[in-house]
């Protein structure tokens, strides 16, 4: 069976280095807010090119904390609206509503699966204060026009960079394109920890300071609390692992690109719509390789029978979830079509050429 993602193999590729770091951290007797987190934050900031990086407990918290900090700073108020793609993982939206802000869903572009820039302005009101962009599947969504639109309406750009660490737009890394960015280091992401972990990057010093306090009970100084904060810290063990793996992220993303380029070149079954092949390969880190077909159910069954494991990202759009009952009657046809037709093929830095060949043959023989 070709696994969708072989996490064990991905982490065993760095076994010796990770085990040494884990042992060292265990023996140090220091498990929170220590040198490992500091080192990872410094290296993450350097890698992204941002002035600040803050480790937090997970990707959802990263996004929640950014918005919460904007509220504490008076940049946003409860009831303000944040534009967000209708086609995203629900965490992007949860981060908004959790803060008492209003998510305003915008349809994606069917060819990029990312937010359709031309449909943003019609959804704006005087209360629109932010634009959350999601580099879905690992593909950058950014342009001069998007930047200009945000500037014109004085919107904060918040990047949901959970799926795209290492991607670049004209030489600038995702995570350094807007006001602040949230990262997820969930084990299955391109840079994955051994449990939950997340991060935030920004060039805004006041924002960074506010987030740091908010993530630590609202405190910058022990037992002095300036905000009603939460506890959302990255721990030393996860930071130590991430610091090892960060060194290899470019090489691992490059291997993902190689596999994606083979899929794009060699899958030739007209029943499937493949993702776009980009002129600038740096604009994609292929967190997921997502094809579309109107025969998804039978294709998935056939692939399973032929030893290829696939997943669906995602089967139910956020506006049709019970969690957002008020939206259930809304219609987002492009989002709904995407959710009904997408299928994610195996892709990871540890897949062998032979395994890639098996996936390609299976698809072409369908
Ligand atoms: C994974 C993910 C998140 C949430 O990250 P967690 O670390 O699982 O909380 C948010 N947004 C997107 C697009 C994601 O893929």
């Amino acid at each position: 069976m070709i696994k969708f993602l072989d996490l064990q193999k991905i982490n065993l590729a760095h076994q010796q280095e990770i085990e040494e770091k884990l042992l060292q951290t265990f023996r140090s007797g220091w498990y929170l807010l220590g040198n490992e987190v500091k080192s990872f934050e410094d290296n993450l900031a350097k890698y992204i090119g941002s002035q600040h990086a803050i480790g937090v407990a997970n990707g959802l918290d990263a996004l929640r904390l950014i918005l919460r900090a904007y509220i504490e700073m008076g940049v946003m108020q409860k009831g303000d609206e944040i534009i967000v793609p209708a086609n995203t993982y629900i965490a992007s939206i949860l981060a908004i509503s959790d803060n008492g802000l209003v998510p305003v869903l915008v349809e994606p572009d069917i060819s990029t699966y990312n937010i359709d820039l031309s449909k943003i302005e019609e959804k704006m009101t005087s209360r629109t204060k932010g634009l959350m962009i999601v580099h879905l599947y690992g593909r950058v969504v950014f342009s001069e026009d998007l930047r200009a639109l945000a500037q014109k309406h004085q919107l904060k750009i918040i990047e949901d960079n959970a799926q795209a660490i290492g991607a670049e737009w004209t030489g600038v890394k995702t995570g350094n394109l807007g006001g602040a960015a949230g990262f997820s280091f969930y084990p299955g992401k391109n840079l994955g920890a051994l449990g939950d972990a997340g991060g935030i990057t920004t060039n805004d010093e006041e924002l960074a300071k506010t987030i740091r306090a908010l993530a630590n009970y609202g405190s910058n100084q022990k037992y002095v609390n300036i905000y009603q904060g939460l506890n959302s810290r990255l721990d030393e063990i996860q930071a130590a692992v991430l610091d090892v793996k960060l060194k290899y992220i470019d090489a691992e993303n490059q291997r993902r690109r190689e596999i994606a380029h083979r899929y794009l070149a060699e899958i030739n079954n007209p029943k499937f719509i493949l993702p776009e092949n980009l002129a600038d390969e740096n604009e994609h880190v292929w967190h997921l390789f997502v094809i579309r077909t109107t025969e998804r159910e039978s294709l998935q069954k056939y692939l399973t029978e032929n030893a290829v494991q696939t997943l669906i990202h995602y089967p139910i759009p956020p506006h049709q979830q019970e969690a957002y009952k008020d939206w259930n009657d809304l219609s987002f046809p492009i989002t709904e079509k995407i959710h009904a037709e997408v299928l994610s093929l195996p892709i990871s830095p540890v897949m062998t050429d032979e395994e890639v060949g098996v996936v390609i043959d299976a698809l072409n023989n369908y």
Side-chain angles (χ1 to χ4, degrees):
M1 182 64 139
I2 297 175
K3 285 189 186 168
F4 177 73
L5 191 70
D6 189 339
L7 276 182
Q8 186 183 38
K9 198 171 172 192
I10 286 173
N11 287 320
L12 285 178
H14 314 293
Q15 179 171 10
Q16 199 186 342
E17 254 188 293
I18 290 176
E19 286 183 354
E20 274 171 23
K21 280 295 239 174
L22 286 173
L23 194 60
Q24 187 193 319
T25 309
F26 164 60
R27 288 181 174 168
S28 77
W30 195 284
Y31 306 117
L32 283 166
L33 303 176
N35 292 335
E36 296 302 330
V37 169
K38 174 87 176 69
S39 169
F40 175 63
E41 287 177 343
D42 288 349
N43 288 326
L44 181 64
K46 206 177 295 167
Y47 179 74
I48 297 300
S50 63
Q51 281 164 36
H52 308 276
I54 302 146
V56 297
N58 55 66
L60 173 57
D61 274 5
L63 298 169
R64 285 168 68 203
L65 282 160
I66 291 167
L67 294 168
R68 175 72 193 277
Y70 279 135
I71 292 173
E72 295 292 350
M73 287 161 65
V75 174
M76 293 173 188
Q77 287 176 27
K78 286 190 192 286
D80 283 345
E81 295 162 5
I82 310 292
I83 303 273
V84 64
N87 178 53
T88 182
Y89 180 56
I90 199 162
S92 322
I93 297 168
L94 292 171
I96 299 170
S97 54
D98 182 69
N99 274 294
L101 297 162
V102 181
V104 176
L105 308 185
V106 171
E107 283 269 57
D109 179 328
I110 190 79
S111 59
T112 68
Y113 305 128
N114 283 334
I115 198 164
D116 185 339
L117 185 64
S118 71
K119 293 183 179 154
I120 293 178
E121 226 161 0
E122 67 200 49
K123 293 278 192 136
M124 294 198 331
T125 73
S126 58
R127 294 217 70 172
T128 311
K129 292 289 155 57
L131 168 57
M132 186 177 290
I133 53 174
V134 184
H135 307 296
L136 199 69
Y137 306 151
R139 178 179 173 157
V140 179
V141 54
F142 203 77
S143 61
E144 285 302 348
D145 289 347
L146 188 145
R147 197 203 310 268
L149 183 79
Q151 246 157 24
K152 179 176 158 198
H153 299 279
Q154 297 185 355
L155 306 182
K156 289 286 181 195
I157 295 176
I158 299 120
E159 292 177 81
D160 180 342
N161 200 29
Q163 300 191 359
I165 186 167
E168 284 179 12
W169 180 77
T170 65
V172 182
K173 286 231 159 56
T174 55
N176 207 17
L177 293 167
F183 294 68
S184 167
F185 306 120
Y186 174 82
K189 298 288 160 72
N190 284 27
L191 179 61
L194 305 184
D196 276 317
I200 293 162
T201 54
T202 181
N203 293 315
D204 181 335
E205 189 169 351
E206 189 190 349
L207 184 74
K209 216 175 142 205
T210 309
I211 289 169
R212 230 177 243 294
L214 281 170
N216 189 34
Y217 310 110
S219 164
N220 271 326
Q221 191 190 335
K222 208 165 185 178
Y223 305 128
V224 180
N225 300 77
I226 42 184
Y227 310 111
Q228 295 173 20
L230 45 148
N231 175 357
S232 180
R233 298 178 300 215
L234 178 65
D235 67 71
E236 290 283 288
I237 296 248
Q238 299 304 340
V241 172
L242 290 168
D243 214 18
V244 169
K245 292 183 71 180
L246 181 61
K247 291 185 288 185
Y248 303 102
I249 188 68
D250 283 342
E252 294 188 346
N253 281 341
Q254 201 53 36
R255 175 62 185 152
R256 285 174 181 273
R257 285 189 186 111
E258 262 172 43
I259 295 167
H261 291 151
R262 266 195 76 191
Y263 282 162
L264 289 169
E266 297 176 44
I267 298 171
N268 53 29
N269 190 328
K271 286 199 160 93
F272 316 132
I273 297 167
L274 301 183
E276 282 185 333
N277 198 355
L278 303 181
D280 180 356
E281 67 164 19
N282 295 323
E283 287 185 18
H284 213 317
V285 292
W286 300 100
H287 172 57
L288 297 170
F289 190 97
V290 177
I291 65 170
R292 248 172 56 226
T293 172
T294 51
E295 301 174 23
R296 178 169 70 189
E297 206 175 323
S298 88
L299 175 64
Q300 189 170 36
K301 184 161 170 282
Y302 163 88
L303 289 173
T304 307
E305 286 162 5
N306 284 275
V308 176
Q309 190 188 16
T310 55
L311 292 178
I312 297 169
H313 297 92
Y314 299 91
I316 307 171
H319 71 275
Q320 292 181 337
Q321 297 282 0
E322 207 182 321
Y324 289 107
K325 271 199 204 70
D326 291 355
W327 296 344
N328 288 177
D329 293 333
L330 299 181
S331 160
F332 293 95
I334 299 169
T335 297
E336 286 155 29
K337 184 177 170 63
I338 291 169
H339 280 75
E341 296 183 354
V342 287
L343 188 68
S344 305
L345 305 184
I347 190 163
S348 88
V350 295
M351 263 181 99
T352 63
D353 290 340
E354 197 191 341
E355 288 171 324
V356 176
V358 170
V359 175
I360 293 167
D361 288 345
L363 284 155
N364 287 341
N365 291 331
Y366 172 76

